[in-house]
Amino acid sequence: MSSHRPLHDGWTVTAVSSTGQLRPVVAGLPAAVPGCVHTDLLAAGLIEDPYLDDNEDRLTWIGRTAWSYETTFTWEFAQDGTDDDRADLVCEGLDTAATLVLNGIEIGTTADMHRSYRFSVRHLLRAGENTLRILFDPPYGYAEAQKAALGDRPGAYTEPYQFIRKMACNFGWDWGPTVVTAGIWRPIGIETWSTARIAEVRPFASADGTVEVHVAVERATERPLTLTASVGGVTETVTVGAGQRRAVVTLTVPDPELWWPRGYGEQPLYDLTVHLEDQEWTGRIGFRSVELDRTGDAFTFVINGKPVFVKGFNWIPDDCFPSRITRERLAERFAQAAAAGANCLRVWGGGMYESEDFYDLADEMGLLVWQDFPFACAAYPEEGRFTAEVEAEAREHVARLARHASLVLWCGNNENIEGHADWGWQDSLEGRSWGGGFYYDLLPRVVAELDPTRPYWPGSPYSGAPDLPPNDPSKGTVHIWTVWNHQDYTHYATYTPRFVAEFGFQGPPTYATLRAAVSDDPLTPVSPGVTHHQKAIDGNLKLLRGLGEHLPQPDGFDDWHYYTQLNQARAMAFGIERFRALAPYCMGTIVWQLNDCWPVTSWAAVDGGGRRKPLWYALRRAYAERLLTFQGDALAVVNDTDEPWSGELAVDRLSLAGEILAKERFDVSAPARGTASVELPEGVARAGNPAGEVLVATLGDVRALRFPGEDPAMDYPPAEMDTVVEEIEGGLRVRVTARTIVRELAIFPDRLDPRATVDDQLVTLLPGETAVFHVTGGDVDPGALVRHPVLRCVNESR
């Protein structure tokens, strides 16, 4: 028999000691488990919300304080002496360095937020009342002690995040606050069992229907055991011999339905059940194959024998306090990624191994998962307890995630190989370890042993060998940060990469999200709260510099907000279109980033309030299955479907008033999952009056526009349009008919009600054209919906 009893009730938290300014005094405060100190203090009203204004700066004492969590629970032993042989305290997530005491006896210590711990406690349990106490060391104190003992290591930030196995971005990032947490952040409970228990299940399902189910067993007795696995109507049984602790059950499911990435097919999942005596394990699997094609320095995912162009997002933790992240919240983010056309999420190395809900949703929705091991932007020590903890966490999660069809890559780290090679680390290291032993030895050995069906990649960016420049666009994966940091976004056109695993451009969050997080009155681009919610070095200066000649210089907050959001959208669309046009030489783009962990000006497409920024709408067009894009003097026809895309391509050079100045017609055909390029004759491609013309390409219902000049240099007339707002079921329909050209029309209904959303943004209308928008949610004044600053366009008349 086996059972699991959660220990989630009756906890209190007490501040034991502090190396910082402790306020307020905290003793015996009710604590939520799972949770963390910050959320407990917030629930009790003892601190202000760290996401508001600059409250974060007044809460640094929390990470410099030792915290004691304590609960009392009752335990009963069977009167007839038939109790289970074992009782284990199972801690699925403790954050981070902790000492556990049961009934006054120390039972163990922890030093890794990223892994679980199991302690045998049957001999310590008492009939009746029992007390469990978990004392968390101050995270800063622990990390700084390790730094002093092992020697300093360089990193992107001065915080000591590489000296503690904890979510690195907890210590702040260029998009995140410094909120250094402690607490019981994942479930905790007591598991009782007899004879044996299922310690690990690693199923490997192949496209041919074969399933190898690898099972690890922990024993309380050495007698033979019966192990059974069932999937797809097929059942097989093996005997686990006396004393054996591992076994494999092989099943063959005839003619399985294959699991495909989103956009390439369906995502059928099969229920797998494993029984060991009276214990049961269940999980869903998908039949598919995955390879990483490295032919000629390429970096191409091949699923079920078919090359896949990756259209992805980098993923960061969706909240600084992970216990607040629910399945429903993840499902909303995944739906936003999928609706934008994405087929992949990269779980970034400065975060964490995500919850089972995360990978289950990815399986269900066909979103490929690239999983970084949690190392980012720093040299990491390999001495002391670190190597043992890293191996334990890697073994746990490689085994845990083996069943998930969506998982297609294990990646050793984020930017650490590049940092070691190119950021001047080697001089300051003076021969000390930096993590290379993890990325080139330990982690690939663990993956090869526990998950040989998936590729491993030492880091990103990485060119395929340790002696090569790691961020070479012509090999492996590249991160492009010259744009945003130094160059105009048109610099993307100078890159010819094989796979872009990270690139991005900043923009502020939606008005409603920013307004809820900042109490500045009035809001300005440089008011204190707005500035505090910009974590990038010189971020606001880069936003303005990035406008360049593309857009007018803003006059006040409303212009700044609209123009910088629009510029972010244009920059990323420009880059994606460039890289998609290079397929199949380039076989992937992973945008930095999908989501935010709090309300902030950042690279995200979905802000910290869960609202879609204009960037999201631009990415939906750039990631569409079929795309037309002007590239130099050619037009690229990009077809990411299983059917050829053929037809008559119309290319018209128009005046801004809509008069045809030149036109060409071409018969084109882009193959399935392929591209075609059409060279444009000079007569249609070259503007006679760059300030007064637009180039329009149309194939079927897909259109592309090219304006020869930047917006401030164009002879746009003041925008004239007719608007009609109608009530419909579920919201409002806004019909806009242009009497002149209307450039980048946007409606921002969240300015009127934070609950309101719109289904499209940044639509350019030629004279006589009509666009229809749907606004849902909230209570919105129809008249205000079509007035400044809710309705905006570049050439608006004020």
Side-chain angles (χ1 to χ4, degrees):
M1 296 292 292
S2 64
S3 64
H4 182 81
R5 175 181 172 181
L7 295 178
H8 293 163
D9 299 327
W11 288 90
T12 60
V13 60
T14 296
V16 178
S17 64
S18 177
T19 58
Q21 184 179 3
L22 177 58
R23 54 177 187 181
V25 175
V26 180
L29 183 72
V33 171
C36 72
V37 173
H38 285 75
T39 52
D40 292 331
L41 296 174
L42 188 60
L46 295 180
I47 62 171
E48 298 296 325
D49 189 339
Y51 290 2
L52 301 181
D53 295 324
D54 61 350
N55 291 339
E56 160 204 357
D57 292 344
R58 287 178 287 279
L59 302 177
T60 56
W61 60 270
I62 297 173
R64 297 190 176 277
T65 300
W67 297 95
S68 176
Y69 278 74
E70 187 170 311
T71 189
T72 299
F73 62 94
T74 57
W75 192 261
E76 295 181 1
F77 292 100
Q79 297 298 317
D80 58 3
T82 59
D83 286 293
D84 290 311
D85 297 322
R86 300 287 179 88
D88 296 340
L89 177 65
V90 181
C91 310
E92 295 187 30
L94 299 177
D95 177 16
T96 292
T99 301
L100 293 89
V101 179
L102 178 60
N103 294 328
I105 305 297
E106 181 178 321
I107 60 174
T109 62
T110 72
D112 194 334
M113 175 185 180
H114 298 302
R115 59 168 291 202
S116 65
Y117 292 84
R118 178 181 287 263
F119 305 98
S120 178
V121 296
R122 189 181 189 281
H123 62 296
L124 296 177
L125 290 171
R126 302 169 178 167
E129 189 173 275
N130 294 258
T131 299
L132 176 62
R133 182 171 181 252
I134 304 178
L135 176 64
F136 291 94
D137 292 343
Y140 275 109
Y142 179 91
E144 288 163 353
Q146 293 295 314
K147 176 180 175 180
L150 300 176
D152 198 4
R153 301 293 197 283
Y157 304 98
T158 58
E159 297 281 326
Y161 57 89
Q162 66 268 54
F163 293 97
I164 183 170
R165 292 307 296 151
K166 177 176 171 60
M167 192 167 78
C169 61
N170 232 192
F171 288 87
W173 221 259
D174 56 5
W175 38 257
T178 303
V179 283
V180 180
T181 56
I184 305 168
W185 76 285
R186 278 184 167 162
I188 187 171
I190 295 178
E191 180 182 338
T192 58
W193 54 280
S194 294
T195 308
R197 72 176 186 88
I198 299 172
E200 176 183 289
V201 177
R202 293 180 292 118
F204 302 119
S206 302
D208 64 2
T210 303
V211 187
E212 286 188 3
V213 185
H214 295 248
V215 180
V217 175
E218 184 178 358
R219 288 175 168 274
T221 179
E222 298 302 319
R223 71 169 176 80
L225 305 168
T226 300
L227 179 66
T228 301
S230 302
V231 64
V234 178
T235 299
E236 297 289 348
T237 299
V238 300
T239 297
V240 185
Q244 292 182 346
R245 281 161 173 75
R246 292 193 177 272
V248 179
V249 185
T250 302
L251 308 94
T252 301
V253 175
D255 301 319
E257 296 181 72
L258 295 185
W259 184 97
W260 290 94
R262 189 172 192 85
Y264 285 73
E266 300 302 313
Q267 294 81 44
L269 297 171
Y270 289 73
D271 293 320
L272 171 65
T273 303
V274 177
H275 285 100
L276 178 72
E277 303 289 310
D278 65 339
Q279 282 206 3
E280 180 179 273
W281 176 98
T282 60
R284 290 186 300 169
I285 62 173
F287 291 92
R288 60 102 180 93
S289 65
V290 56
E291 303 168 80
L292 184 61
D293 182 1
R294 295 284 294 115
T295 304
D297 295 321
F299 190 91
T300 302
F301 288 102
V302 180
I303 310 297
N304 301 329
K306 181 177 291 188
V308 171
F309 188 95
V310 168
K311 298 182 287 190
F313 287 102
N314 282 270
W315 173 272
I316 67 170
D318 205 51
D319 199 302
C320 297
F321 311 121
S323 61
R324 302 200 299 199
I325 303 172
T326 63
R327 182 183 178 91
E328 291 71 26
R329 182 161 157 180
L330 289 172
E332 180 183 0
R333 295 293 166 274
F334 278 47
Q336 289 166 327
N343 60 18
C344 178
L345 295 174
R346 175 192 173 212
V347 181
W348 168 74
M352 60 187 179
Y353 304 97
E354 291 286 340
S355 67
E356 208 63 34
D357 287 334
F358 182 98
Y359 303 97
D360 281 342
L361 286 165
D363 290 345
E364 294 166 12
M365 299 183 67
L367 289 169
L368 302 175
V369 174
W370 162 326
Q371 177 71 50
D372 280 5
F373 286 97
F375 302 90
C377 302
Y380 282 77
E382 300 172 42
E383 296 80 23
R385 191 171 176 175
F386 280 93
T387 294
E389 293 293 345
V390 167
E391 181 167 359
E393 75 180 49
R395 286 184 170 277
E396 175 178 343
H397 293 289
V398 169
R400 174 175 74 96
L401 301 180
R403 73 174 177 87
H404 290 285
S406 56
L407 180 62
V408 294
L409 184 74
W410 288 103
C411 179
N413 70 86
N414 174 77
E415 296 187 346
N416 294 348
I417 294 173
E418 180 189 19
H420 185 257
D422 297 339
W423 296 355
W425 290 359
Q426 296 185 41
D427 290 341
S428 62
L429 280 169
E430 299 178 336
R432 290 190 294 274
S433 63
W434 60 279
F438 297 149
Y439 318 135
Y440 295 129
D441 181 20
L442 174 61
L443 296 176
R445 280 194 289 108
V446 170
V447 172
E449 176 189 345
L450 299 180
D451 191 6
T453 68
R454 287 183 182 84
Y456 171 83
W457 193 245
S460 190
Y462 187 66
S463 295
D467 58 344
L468 294 175
N471 206 27
D472 181 350
S474 69
K475 297 177 175 64
T477 63
V478 65
H479 294 190
I480 300 177
W481 287 111
T482 50
V483 175
W484 170 249
N485 282 324
H486 308 292
Q487 301 283 352
D488 184 79
Y489 68 72
T490 56
H491 190 67
Y492 285 133
T494 68
Y495 282 89
T496 306
R498 305 311 301 260
F499 191 106
V500 189
E502 216 181 273
F503 68 121
F505 203 93
Q506 266 203 358
T510 60
Y511 178 86
T513 293
L514 189 60
R515 180 73 280 178
V518 174
S519 60
D520 300 346
D521 188 15
L523 285 177
T524 76
V526 294
S527 58
V530 174
T531 301
H532 185 81
H533 286 75
Q534 163 63 276
K535 294 294 186 177
I537 296 174
D538 294 330
N540 283 339
L541 292 176
K542 290 176 181 177
L543 283 176
L544 290 175
R545 186 187 70 199
L547 294 177
E549 297 180 355
H550 303 301
L551 288 162
Q553 286 299 302
D555 180 14
F557 174 84
D558 291 339
D559 278 358
W560 173 84
H561 192 252
Y562 169 56
Y563 291 153
T564 55
Q565 284 194 328
L566 170 57
N567 206 47
Q568 178 188 33
R570 287 182 175 179
M572 295 309 296
F574 184 96
I576 289 172
E577 291 184 17
R578 160 68 179 174
F579 304 141
R580 287 191 69 187
L582 295 173
Y585 181 87
C586 176
M587 281 300 286
T589 63
I590 306 183
V591 170
W592 186 270
Q593 64 215 68
L594 174 66
N595 59 324
D596 271 325
C597 61
W598 76 313
V600 64
T601 294
S602 82
W603 298 264
V606 177
D607 70 22
R611 298 180 176 91
R612 299 170 297 182
K613 293 159 65 171
L615 170 62
W616 182 92
Y617 300 91
L619 293 178
R620 182 173 61 179
R621 286 190 278 271
Y623 271 164
E625 290 185 331
R626 290 178 168 175
L627 172 73
L628 297 177
T629 173
F630 290 100
Q631 298 292 318
D633 290 333
L635 184 82
V637 182
V638 182
N639 179 24
D640 194 17
T641 75
D642 286 325
E643 300 296 330
W645 186 18
S646 303
E648 184 180 71
L649 172 67
V651 182
D652 298 316
R653 183 156 59 88
L654 306 177
S655 71
L656 294 180
E659 177 186 10
I660 296 178
L661 304 176
K663 64 180 182 179
E664 294 284 348
R665 299 294 182 266
F666 309 88
D667 289 328
V668 299
S669 182
R673 307 294 177 184
T675 60
S677 182
V678 178
E679 291 294 327
L680 300 177
E682 184 172 327
V684 70
R686 299 295 181 186
N689 174 17
E693 299 179 9
V694 58
L695 194 60
V696 183
T698 307
L699 179 59
D701 59 357
V702 180
R703 183 169 86 169
L705 302 176
R706 169 182 275 181
F707 289 83
E710 301 292 355
D711 283 338
M714 295 294 292
D715 291 334
Y716 295 135
E720 297 180 9
M721 64 193 94
D722 298 317
T723 60
V724 178
V725 183
E726 304 171 284
E727 288 193 20
I728 59 172
E729 185 176 355
L732 298 172
R733 179 168 57 210
V734 183
R735 185 182 300 273
V736 180
T737 300
R739 286 184 271 124
T740 64
I741 192 167
V742 176
R743 183 77 169 119
E744 303 283 19
L745 179 66
I747 299 176
F748 299 105
D750 62 291
R751 279 180 166 267
L752 303 176
D753 190 310
R755 299 167 296 173
T757 62
V758 66
D759 64 344
D760 206 357
Q761 291 272 31
L762 308 183
V763 177
T764 293
L765 298 176
L766 302 178
E769 292 183 336
T770 296
V772 177
F773 303 86
H774 295 91
V775 175
T776 55
D779 183 11
V780 174
D781 175 6
L785 201 57
V786 292
R787 291 197 300 265
H788 187 278
V790 178
L791 186 146
R792 299 297 305 263
C793 68
V794 172
N795 60 317
E796 61 196 11
S797 176
R798 300 191 195 177

